Amino acid sequence: MEKDWKKELNEDMRERLPEDLQVDPELIPYLLAAKAPSESLGEAADNRDDATTDGENNQKNPTDKDGLELTDAQLELVEQMRSRQRPASTLGPSTLENPKAKAIYESLLTRRAEHQIEPTLERVQGVLDYLGNPQELFHSIHVTGTNGKTSMARMIEALTDELGYRTGRFTSPHLVDVRERISIDREPITTDQFIAAYEDIEAQLAMWENDNPGSKLSFFEVLTVMAYALFADVPVHLAVVEVGMGGRWDATNVIDADTAVIGPISLEHEQWLGKGLTNIAKEKSGIIKHAANVVVAHQPDEALEVIKAAAHAMDATLRYEGRDFEVIQRVPAVGGQMLTIRTPAATYQDIFLPLFGEFQAENAAVALTAVEAQLGGLALDGDSVARAFASVTSPGRLEVLHASPMIVADAGHNPGAALALARAIEDDLRWTHTVGIYSAMDDKDIETVLGVMEPVMGEIIVTTMPGERPAKLEKLQEIAEEVFGEDRVYALDGLTEAIGKAGELDDLQEAPPGSTGVMIFGSVVLAGMARKVLNQG
């Protein structure tokens, strides 16, 4: 492509552009209109021959504050793309407002909770057998990993929906309403669908449990059966299914998925998945089926070797980040970021993703590669890819809930998620001062998470959440004071009060709007509470 369009940019912008940056002149001044041309397979192969995959690409790091920036005209065009975003899904009245739905949900809550693990596929497979194995009636992409699973599932769903496929999505946990877990055509199921899905499996569920005394399905297992039965009944072309925990023995793993997606793996749930990355990677690799596609995000070497061996043993086709696909360029922008992504089939340029964080850019690369693999390995229509990514939402994942002061919620609850969040505050939000609001379940690594976040936060407010599992306020305060020092820690019993105090602390900075902010983090439950308090749920 010609580069004469650079003459239209100011001198400072021209100097900071990478030499190898190529943009169609027709896209100037529409650089950010997210028209993403896909290359032909031949062109993509030629480009891959010239590309480096060892992290030494000749380009500036777009997350550096002194790196590539967007011009005022480009920022205006980003706003235009933001205006095209798909509206947030509307749940409508709460499930609990319908007497029949409320009764079903409350009956599900009497079952074994999600965190009370009894590893086996026998219960879910048994009920599905009684139902005629509806999970065999649709194609599926199965998503596991330590962090990013829900975001990747939502991106895959957006891509396949934009490409014309009827898609179901099953993710967990929910932020506000249980119906969020099961979506059809990118919308949470209705209350009527929730009721019908349960009633459709109720007789077979009762029959199997009567035939197998002492083997009652858990809350999560029943929802898994409901989702699979509903997907078959709709019917959907493709189900995007997020693993609940691990992979090999997770209730969702009764599907014979065409494509297995493995997000970043770090230490988690070692009491269930085994000690160390090797054991955790073995469990997560358990979703790989014979002759399937396997798409893998950046991994520690120890985990990647396990995944490679598992894929080889299953005669699966492996694609992993850094070798087969990568984010070539990432430029933080207003309301998100601009991406260039290389996949095995094409290079997609000028993709606007309305989400913050380097980790979301990498999630997008994984999702795009997974959909290519699912659809035969060919390049996807570039315009469809651009529209899909521009419409992606990920509630509770670096989600902006309030403008002034700027309040963002993130559901990350482990050290890996905390590292990604800290980087996003520095590289994407670029706040000069951050007030944190934090709470966590009692079994989480609270000290490590707060230690990761301490360097990027001015003060932290610890608060409470309802239920028996969350850590007590006194424990949170004690650990926070050890990490931050007493003068930087506040303890308030209630999220509404914590948000009010955070607003006061933010006001004290007397900084320009948007240059400081409040980060609510540490738990999916807390993120869901924040959405309700700030009228986003």
Side-chain angles (χ1 to χ4, degrees), residues 278-316:
T278 296
N279 285 319
I280 293 173
K282 284 179 181 177
E283 289 297 328
K284 294 185 184 295
S285 298
I287 69 169
I288 299 173
K289 302 302 193 295
H290 178 71
N293 303 298
V294 185
V295 179
V296 183
H298 275 306
Q299 303 291 348
D301 290 342
E302 182 179 349
L304 183 58
E305 290 307 311
V306 172
I307 296 168
K308 285 180 177 179
H312 179 75
M314 298 301 289
D315 196 25

Side-chain angles (χ1 to χ4, degrees), residues 181-193:
R181 295 177 181 235
I182 307 173
S183 292
I184 304 293
D185 294 332
R186 302 184 67 184
E187 290 293 335
I189 58 173
T190 65
T191 301
D192 287 344
Q193 285 176 313

